[in-house]
Amino acid sequence: MLTCLITGATGGLGQALAKKLLADDWQLIVVGRDAERLKSIYGEQHTQIAADCATSSGVKALFDAI
């Protein structure tokens, strides 16, 4: 099984990409700034990380979580 990291996973493009990859049986790591929104979109599925990838501290939090 392949794994894909999707940043901006709560936006339209991120959600569309997630849907496509799920149809092809990929495992996902979804990243967004709002943990509640990630959970409302993806439920309990996937590894979910709340981080802002536009900041160095957000990127560090992302890699620490992975």
Side-chain angles (χ1 to χ4, degrees):
M1 182 178 299
L2 298 171
T3 302
C4 181
L5 170 70
I6 302 174
T7 61
T10 59
L13 183 59
Q15 289 182 57
L17 178 59
K19 184 176 181 179
K20 170 66 176 140
L21 292 173
L22 284 174
D24 293 334
D25 294 323
W26 283 64
Q27 179 179 346
L28 303 180
I29 301 170
V30 292
V31 183
R33 289 180 283 206
D34 185 336
E36 289 181 26
R37 185 148 185 226
L38 282 169
K39 188 168 184 169
S40 73
I41 294 168
Y42 297 102
E44 297 296 326
Q45 294 181 313
H46 319 299
T47 300
Q48 299 178 24
I49 302 170
D52 183 353
C53 295
T55 67
S56 58
S57 62
V59 172
K60 182 178 181 334
L62 168 62
F63 281 98
D64 287 347
I66 292 173

